[in-house]
Every structure is written in C-alpha cells, then in structure tokens.
Amino acid sequence: MKKLSLNGSWSLEISGIGFGNVSAQVPGSVYHDLLQNGLMEDPFYRDNEMKALALMDNDFVYSRSFTVSDELLNSDAVLLRCEGLDTIATVRINGEVAGLANNMHRIWEFDVKKYLRSGENAISVRFASPTKYIKEQYAKSVADGSSDAMVGFPHIRKAHCMFGWDWGPRLPDAGIWRDIMILGVDVARIRDVHVLQHHQENKVTLEVNTHISQVTGTAPVSVTVTGPCGKTWTAEGEKAVIEIEDPQLWWPAGFGEQNLYTVSVKLGDLDAWERRIGLRTMTVTRKKDEWGESFAHCVNGIDIFAMGADYIPEDNLLPRVNPERTRRLLEDARAANMNCIRVWGGGYYPDDFFYDACDELGLLVWQDFMFACAVYNLTEEFEENITAEFIDNVRRLRHHPSLALWCGNNEMEDFVDKGEWVACHRQKADYIKMYEYIIPKVLKTEDPQAFYWPASPSSGGSFDNPQDPNRGDVHYWMVWHGLLPFTDYRNHLFRYVSEFGFQSFPCMETIESFTEPEDRNVFSYVMEKHQRNASANGRIVSYLSQMYLYPREMTDLVYASQLLQAQAMQYGVEHWRRNRGRCMGAVVWQLNDCWPVASWASIDYYGRWKALHYYEKRFFAPVLISCHEEGILSQNTNVNAEPFALEKSAHLNVSNETLKDFRGTAKWSLRRPDASVIEEGEFQVSCPALSAVWLPKQDFSHYGTYDCYYSYSLTDENGAEAGQGSVLFCAPKHFNFIDPQLSAFVDGDEIIVTANAYARSVEIMAGADVLLEDNYFDMDGGVRRVKILRGEVDSVSVRSVYDIR
C-alpha cells in the first residue's frame, strides 16, 4: 500500500478576523498555530481565556498543495485518511467537496480518486465554529449537561471538557489534530486484525483473525509472533492459530513482568500490520458475598486491589501532548506505586503512545467511552456516528494488554436516574439504548473477551441504585463537595472507589506562571478564574480552618492546602486498604491538569508533584503500614464541648498487595513534641500475600491530648524500611509543636535534612522542577537523607507544619 503523508506545513485562514495565509502545522490546532505565529496571547495567562474563547466564534480553513504521482493515482483505490478532524469539517480537493466530518473521535476515510489529478493538487479543510454550532443545535433540540461546560456541548462529538469543566477552561480548539494522508490501495488491504487468546495450563492459543478489505482481489496472509526473548512462531491464513507453550505472562505493576509479544501480519506484499500484545486473562470479579457483591480487577486469576488515579487530557492545546510528556506523566504515576489509570469519559481517547506506555509500565487502564455528565438525543444519524466511533476506537485499542475494561460513561446513570439534565422521557430511554444495548452489541463483535461496565458509578446498570456501596463502583464526594471531615471516609466500606478527591493550589512557581504579583491572593479575580469549581478556594480555606493555623504568607497557604489534600486522600486510601477483600479499589480524582489551576490533581500542569503525589507513593506502596488513630478529629472537634471521656488510641495495620507473604517488625513509640520517647515497643508482623492484618490496638487515653504523638515504622525481615509515619490525637493547629530547627544541605545526589524535634510533613524546597525520592515526610528529630531523582538543585530550604502560623 502506498502512503503520501499530508502532515507538515499548511496555511490557516480566519476570514472573520482578517487572518489569511497564517503558517500552520499539521497535526496541530488553531490556538497552537496562532500562538506559534505570535497572533494571540497565552490563553492560560491571567484571564486571556476569554479572548481565546471569542476566537472560536469563527470558521477556520486549513489548506495546502501536494503532488500526486501517476503511480499513486493509478492505484485501484485512492483514499484520503484523516485520523483526527476537530470537528465539524468540510474537506475539499481541487475545489470539490470530498467529504464531511462531525466527530473528532473517529477516523475518516474518503474515496478521492475522482477528485485528484497527476501532479499538483490542492486540499482544504473548513472547520465550522464549534461555539456557534452547539448554540444552533441546542436551539433545535435540547440536550443538557454539566453547567461547568457551555450550553449545548452534548450536541458535538468533541472532547466535552474543551467547553469547560470544574477544573478546566472554555477553550474549544479546532483543527487537524492527528495524521492525515493519501492511501493508494492495490488489490486489497488489511482492514483490521483481531487477536483472541485462549488460556490453558502452561499454554496460550492465539487466534489471529485478519479482516481484509478487497478492492479487486486478495492475497495470502502470513502471521509471525515474536516473544520477549526473540523466539518466533508462524502460521498462515486469515484465521491463523498459534500455540505458545510455557507463555511469559503480562502482569500489572507489582505482580510480575510486563512481557510483550509482537504480532506481525502480512497480506502478501500489499499491506502489513504489527502490534504488541501481552498474554494474560483480564476481567472483573463479581461474586456474591456477605457484604453484597465484589468488584475487583482479576488478572491471570488474581484479584488485584486497584491503586491509581483518574486521567484527564494533558493539555487544552492537544498539539502539546507528545510521547515524551505522556511517558513522563505515566512514569510518575508508576513511581507513586500506582497500578491503575482510569481514562475519564469527558476528554478524548488517548493516542497510541499512551497505551504503549501503560503496557510497558504495567498500568491497568479503565477506559471510559467519551460520554460524561450529559444526556444525548439518540437520532438515527447520532447512533450511526457513535457506533462508527466505538468501532474505530475498539479496533485501535483492543490489543493492548493494559486495557482492563470498557466503561460506557462517566456519572450519567446516576444523574439520569435522578432526572438531572433530562428534558423528556425519551432521553432516559435513549440512555439505556446507548449504554446497555448499542455499546455491548459492538463489543460482542469487536472485543468479546473484554469486560464491559455500563457506567461509572454503577452497580451493574438499569438504574439499579448506581451508587450502591455494596456493589460495583462508587464516586464519593461528601468529603469535599459535602464538606464532611476527612474522618468520614472511615464510615464507608465501598467495594471500589473510582472517584474521590480533594483540591489544593499548585506550587507558587506554577501560580506565578499565570499571575501578576497583585493577583496572588486566593480570592483575587485571576485566582478565581483559575479555580473552576464554584467557591472552592473558600472551601479550601474552610477545611484549613479545621486543621491548621491561618498562614501569614500565601506560600504557606499553598503548602497547607497541599497537606490538606494529601491527608484527606490518606484517610480514605489507608482505610480502604486496611479492609482489603471487601474494598478492592481506590482511584483518586485526579492525576493531572490540562492547564495551570487549583484542582484535585496530584501532578500539576507543568508536571510538578504536589504533596499528594509523594503521599500516594507511600500509601500505594505494595506493603503498607498505616494507623487508625482515635482522637479529637474522630470524636468531637468542638473545643468548647462539655468535658467527655476522649479515647486516644492507635491501631496499626499492615496491608500486603504482593504475591509473597510479608514478615517483619512494626516499631512504635509515644513521643513528646521534642521527639523524646514516653513509651515504645514493637510487634512482629506476619501478613499473608494479598491480605491485610491488624496489630494489637493500643490505648493512650491517660496521656495528654496536645503534647504527645504516636510514631510508627515497619521493617522487613532483612531490616529494610518498608514504611513509617506518625499521628496526632488532635488537630495539628492545636498540637504543642516546638520549633524543630530544620536545616538542609546538598551532598552530591542527596539532600541531608536535620531536625532537633518532631517535624511533621517536612517539605524540602529544592526547586519546583526537582523530583525527590521522598518529601512531605515526618521526622522524630535526627537526620534524613533524601535522593535527588530529577532536576538541578541550586539552593535548598525546608519547612514543616510548625511554620504554618
């Protein structure tokens, strides 16, 4: 098959504002091209978003010339293949309309042979204004959704969050966002290849089904499979069968190797297809039990506790997303001991390199279809459009071993069940048709071995109590949106939590990237423009009042906000891991940002780790020691309450998310603010694989509430540290901290931190883009050595909770 790439230099015309012949790059976008040419201001700076949004009221025309050879033109079929058109597009070749497109999530192919000529040709793609389009369609037919996005957004098959979300701006970009090319097909080509796996003891049988698109005939099919160690297997035919003895299985992170096999298919000398697969079984375990029904990823017969985060688009300007940036983000997820990523349904289906990285890193992918927080009118045209979208993306992604499940949508079963956004009874009926008939029907044909889940959250579909705590997955937001305290997480034993979160501000360097000095107050206009969840800066301050003294400086307020976020998630995850078996998933909202903003992300727009991401590295550790403490925060936070018997206790737990039994020693101590020991001791720990065990509960009710803390650590049987932490029996704002006199200096590839007393949540400030082995940790005085993993350290300073005042 012949290919003529049309990527590269194009011209962009925006006649509505007098821009003509603007130099453009494809793949690319309108915003990106205007920025590259200095024709618009940074849409992320201050409130420039408003000017950028107004640009989208225009139409946009991309054009270029290209040369077609006689050899290409004489092919049996000549196709224009557009792998990403965003979104309402009219394609012309040599002035003639060659195709129409209306879905950014689809691959579009148009028969263009009759429009081409030998030699020079011209192509243009006109994109209609997305903002005008949704207004026009909404006026014809009401379809509502999240109020954080623009009215009418469900009418266009475009990443919903481009129209705004409660963490993202309204920047509905446009353009040719993926590869575009001319294909010359002779005789036949490979339409798609579907590899099915049949697992038996010590053997996997591959069924390689090659589907051929014939033009004038066909050709013989040959299949080669190459193993991780270079061994090859071959077979012939459109339905080829290959048996692999002693297979090297693919495992998620923490459970084994990510072994990959390469499958190569050739259609004579006409066409070829090559992908990597992993040999594994993958489903979700749903079994009736004493609490209801289990819900757990099951890989190669092992039920796995999902530890991960929700992924949103990495940038509002999609041309900025590239393999290196995505790889760094996913490596950072893996560095925090994550084994799972949920691709949220309000964005787009990520690029192939996203899934390649997940395959290599062992990150299970919960894959939403691209529907979120909205209702849709299921016309015949819309059904045909979304069905083609499903087929395109299922065929593109189904071979990836990391693909753990397909999910119909984000939050719509729950909201539609409650009547949210529903304008008529038909829209509720359309919901069932889309997610419980159309998608399952597509998957039955295109990916029958995959697990399908109709919505998130859901107990299994059909509006059957979607937020049932004893079945399926839940989204739990009463901590944060409901303003309940962190300790509320401990009141719930969900089967799988696929969303829960808490906001914080990004670091000062990130804030400085979009503000002027006069903007640097959390209630300023600009700071509130970069906070898309209504009144959420005030919510952060409200929670801060529960936990910390009010900071004098904004930099300390940012630090405190990040500690709040990290500790909130710590309360939830540690509780659910202590109840492994009943609870089998904790997926934090959210992993990343699409612009610099205050949000729920653990890694900000610039790839900078917040305190939460360092905490995640600890509470997602394969072997975790955690403490369920009882004190003021869990009983009565009213300082003016009538005196009562306050329980002050510590209950250690070790959870083991590995395939090996764990043996070691848990050491504990009750200490004064100067870190001197009041009591200490140790417990021998024996924790079987894939389990959690409680150690003896300890009561300290006879000691003071504000002048002692509990410290703990875990070492394995070889003496290697496996975790540590500390808890208070009161809110940090009321604890009688003394100045730990923190100091730090750089020693080669390490930073040496010294404390003369108890130091809580020690932050090493070594530069916003410096990544450390650990940060935001507790110290019982003494010295801590921390490795520098990434970045250059010019200077270093340290602070702790003592400094929030």
Side-chain angles (χ1 to χ4, degrees):
M1 187 164 60
K2 309 173 192 72
K3 294 183 181 180
L4 173 63
S5 174
L6 298 182
N7 291 351
S9 297
W10 289 58
S11 291
L12 168 62
E13 179 187 352
I14 313 174
S15 58
I17 53 175
F19 286 176
N21 199 31
V22 175
S23 175
Q25 283 294 310
V26 169
S29 76
V30 171
Y31 286 150
H32 193 257
D33 289 327
L34 294 179
L35 281 168
Q36 293 297 105
N37 285 275
L39 296 175
M40 70 177 288
E41 297 174 278
D42 178 3
F44 295 167
Y45 185 67
R46 303 194 84 197
D47 63 347
N48 284 348
E49 169 199 353
M50 308 305 292
K51 300 175 188 175
L53 175 60
L55 288 172
M56 286 298 127
D57 285 339
N58 295 282
D59 292 353
F60 313 94
V61 180
Y62 281 85
S63 61
R64 66 164 289 172
S65 61
F66 61 98
T67 301
V68 174
S69 66
D70 290 338
E71 181 185 16
L72 177 60
L73 191 59
N74 291 332
S75 301
D76 294 332
V78 182
L79 306 172
L80 174 66
R81 179 179 173 91
C82 310
E83 296 188 348
L85 297 176
D86 180 14
T87 295
I88 307 301
T90 302
V91 180
R92 286 183 168 83
I93 292 183
N94 295 325
E96 299 289 328
V97 175
L100 303 174
N102 61 354
N103 188 331
M104 76 172 286
H105 305 303
R106 286 180 59 180
I107 297 170
W108 297 90
E109 289 189 346
F110 308 109
D111 183 352
V112 295
K113 186 170 183 177
K114 63 183 177 183
Y115 305 114
L116 294 171
R117 52 180 175 252
S118 182
E120 186 168 308
N121 292 260
I123 182 173
S124 69
V125 184
R126 173 178 286 273
F127 292 98
S129 161
T131 49
K132 288 183 178 178
Y133 179 84
I134 62 173
K135 290 176 183 176
E136 292 165 359
Q137 296 303 309
Y138 187 82
K140 297 176 185 176
S141 175
V142 173
D144 281 315
S146 170
S147 59
D148 293 301
M150 297 177 71
V151 172
F153 77 87
H155 283 286
I156 188 170
R157 292 307 295 150
K158 175 179 174 68
H160 288 346
C161 63
M162 286 183 166
F163 293 100
W165 218 258
D166 58 2
W167 36 258
R170 297 185 179 105
L171 294 172
D173 207 354
I176 304 170
W177 71 290
R178 281 181 171 157
D179 293 340
I180 183 169
M181 67 197 75
I182 303 286
L183 301 179
V185 182
D186 288 313
V187 184
R189 64 171 172 152
I190 296 172
R191 188 196 75 185
D192 67 279
V193 177
H194 190 186
V195 182
L196 296 172
Q197 301 183 23
H198 305 285
H199 287 247
Q200 300 164 284
E201 188 174 356
N202 297 322
K203 183 173 76 173
V204 175
T205 301
L206 298 181
E207 182 183 326
V208 184
N209 298 289
T210 303
H211 302 112
I212 299 171
S213 292
Q214 297 187 25
V215 180
T216 61
T218 188
V221 173
S222 61
V223 177
T224 302
V225 176
T226 305
C229 297
K231 183 178 179 180
T232 60
W233 296 259
T234 60
E236 306 291 329
E238 295 175 32
K239 294 186 179 297
V241 175
I242 289 175
E243 292 188 352
I244 299 176
E245 303 281 351
D246 299 319
Q248 296 174 264
L249 299 182
W250 183 93
W251 289 94
F255 289 85
E257 298 297 320
Q258 288 74 55
N259 295 303
L260 297 171
Y261 289 70
T262 301
V263 180
S264 302
V265 178
K266 290 185 177 180
L267 178 63
D269 58 0
L270 301 175
D271 199 2
W273 179 98
E274 184 174 288
R275 302 288 189 276
R276 295 183 304 173
I277 66 169
L279 306 183
R280 89 289 188 267
T281 62
M282 181 80 73
T283 188
V284 169
T285 297
R286 297 175 66 198
K287 291 181 180 178
K288 301 292 183 185
D289 58 24
E290 60 190 294
W291 305 293
E293 184 180 79
S294 67
F295 191 92
H297 296 294
C298 182
V299 186
N300 300 326
I302 303 295
D303 285 350
I304 287 166
F305 191 108
M307 303 184 291
D310 295 277
Y311 169 90
I312 65 169
E314 295 170 49
D315 207 304
N316 265 88
L317 278 65
L318 297 184
R320 292 175 172 172
V321 180
N322 56 55
E324 295 74 26
R325 180 176 175 181
T326 297
R327 178 81 188 198
R328 167 71 67 84
L329 177 65
L330 294 173
E331 285 178 344
D332 285 353
R334 179 68 195 96
N337 290 309
M338 294 184 187
N339 61 24
C340 179
I341 295 290
R342 173 175 172 248
V343 178
W344 171 75
Y348 65 96
Y349 304 91
D351 295 280
D352 293 337
F353 52 74
F354 172 92
Y355 301 93
D356 288 340
C358 289
D359 293 344
E360 294 165 5
L361 295 169
L363 295 170
L364 299 174
V365 177
W366 172 309
Q367 178 66 56
D368 282 2
F369 286 96
M370 291 300 119
F371 301 94
C373 300
V375 295
Y376 306 86
N377 295 316
L378 187 63
T379 63
E380 287 186 13
E381 179 187 11
F382 188 73
E383 179 178 349
E384 180 181 351
N385 192 358
I386 61 174
T387 299
E389 170 190 324
F390 304 152
I391 291 171
D392 282 350
N393 287 285
V394 171
R395 288 178 180 174
R396 180 169 70 91
L397 304 179
R398 65 191 173 192
H399 66 278
H400 286 283
S402 57
L403 183 62
L405 64 79
W406 294 99
C407 178
N409 66 77
N410 175 74
E411 295 189 339
M412 288 163 46
E413 182 183 358
D414 187 35
F415 281 121
V416 171
D417 186 40
K418 296 171 180 174
E420 189 79 18
W421 310 312
V422 178
C424 59
H425 292 300
R426 179 181 173 180
Q427 289 178 334
K428 192 166 184 177
D430 286 348
Y431 175 92
I432 294 291
K433 292 175 187 175
M434 288 173 62
Y435 306 108
E436 299 188 22
Y437 177 72
I438 295 172
I439 295 178
K441 187 177 180 181
V442 169
L443 289 173
K444 185 176 181 180
T445 300
E446 299 294 339
D447 199 8
Q449 294 184 326
F451 181 86
Y452 175 67
W453 194 237
S456 180
S458 181
S459 65
S462 302
F463 304 120
D464 179 16
N465 192 9
Q467 285 272 33
D468 190 335
N470 296 311
R471 296 179 293 158
D473 72 310
V474 302
H475 294 186
Y476 188 69
W477 283 104
M478 292 307 292
V479 177
W480 181 255
H481 289 305
L483 290 173
L484 292 183
F486 302 166
T487 52
D488 175 70
Y489 286 125
R490 294 177 176 173
N491 297 325
H492 305 282
L493 293 166
F494 303 120
R495 309 315 299 262
Y496 189 117
V497 193
S498 48
E499 274 193 28
F500 67 109
F502 195 96
Q503 277 202 7
S504 72
F505 299 109
C507 67
M508 285 303 301
E509 289 87 345
T510 295
I511 290 172
E512 289 164 2
S513 75
F514 64 83
T515 60
E516 290 293 325
E518 61 267 27
D519 302 324
R520 292 166 198 159
N521 180 299
V522 297
F523 298 119
S524 74
Y525 172 75
V526 170
M527 286 296 292
E528 291 193 338
K529 287 295 287 184
H530 286 252
Q531 166 56 273
R532 308 312 284 239
N533 185 213
S535 304
N537 288 357
R539 187 175 286 116
I540 292 172
V541 173
S542 175
Y543 271 104
L544 184 145
S545 73
Q546 299 173 29
M547 298 293 284
Y548 295 109
L549 298 176
Y550 195 81
R552 294 190 186 97
E553 303 293 336
M554 184 165 175
T555 180
D556 293 325
L557 177 58
V558 167
Y559 168 56
S561 80
Q562 293 198 13
L563 296 186
L564 288 169
Q565 179 188 35
Q567 289 156 6
M569 297 299 91
Q570 181 184 24
Y571 265 90
V573 174
E574 290 186 347
H575 167 66
W576 293 317
R577 287 197 64 184
R578 291 193 285 261
N579 289 277
R580 190 199 192 279
R582 185 170 182 176
C583 307
M584 288 300 289
V587 180
V588 175
W589 185 271
Q590 64 204 66
L591 176 64
N592 59 301
D593 281 326
C594 63
W595 74 316
V597 64
S599 81
W600 296 273
S602 64
I603 299 177
D604 78 14
Y605 173 74
Y606 294 104
R608 295 161 176 165
W609 288 29
K610 294 183 182 178
L612 171 57
H613 211 73
Y614 284 101
Y615 270 61
E616 286 171 332
K617 185 176 181 179
R618 295 195 287 269
F619 61 61
F620 284 147
V623 176
L624 168 71
I625 184 169
S626 65
C627 183
H628 180 128
E629 87 293 343
E630 286 290 339
I632 286 178
L633 291 177
S634 60
Q635 292 168 71
N636 190 341
T637 58
N638 181 4
V639 297
N640 296 310
E642 182 177 343
F644 65 98
L646 176 67
E647 177 187 342
K648 297 190 285 286
S649 62
H651 201 181
L652 293 173
N653 180 282
V654 176
S655 49
N656 179 7
E657 196 59 28
T658 76
L659 297 176
K660 296 180 179 180
D661 295 345
F662 177 86
R663 290 180 176 81
T665 303
K667 296 182 179 180
W668 63 270
S669 56
L670 192 69
R671 296 173 179 257
R672 302 178 184 88
D674 64 3
S676 62
V677 174
I678 301 170
E679 287 188 35
E680 64 183 344
E682 61 183 47
F683 300 113
Q684 294 306 304
V685 177
S686 179
C687 186
L690 306 176
S691 70
V693 297
W694 289 98
L695 303 180
K697 185 176 180 179
Q698 299 170 274
D699 187 80
F700 301 106
S701 298
H702 55 291
Y703 286 103
T705 303
Y706 307 103
D707 54 8
C708 65
Y709 71 97
Y710 182 84
S711 180
Y712 57 91
S713 64
L714 181 68
T715 54
D716 65 21
E717 56 190 347
N718 297 315
E721 184 178 296
Q724 59 88 30
S726 68
V727 295
L728 305 177
F729 301 115
C730 64
K733 65 181 178 179
H734 293 153
F735 186 75
N736 293 325
F737 288 103
I738 65 172
D739 186 353
Q741 298 178 331
L742 287 168
S743 63
F745 64 92
V746 179
D747 181 16
D749 64 349
E750 292 184 319
I751 294 174
I752 315 303
V753 182
T754 302
N756 292 335
Y758 175 47
R760 185 169 176 83
S761 302
V762 175
E763 181 190 15
I764 302 172
M765 295 171 283
D769 298 308
V770 171
L771 179 64
L772 301 174
E773 175 188 27
D774 198 8
N775 210 347
Y776 305 94
F777 48 79
D778 301 343
M779 293 181 68
D780 294 328
V783 177
R784 178 82 181 266
R785 306 182 73 92
V786 178
K787 286 191 176 298
I788 302 165
L789 302 181
R790 186 166 75 213
E792 298 294 326
V793 178
D794 295 323
S795 63
V796 62
S797 59
V798 280
R799 62 182 162 187
S800 70
V801 172
Y802 172 83
D803 297 297
I804 303 175
R805 58 186 61 235

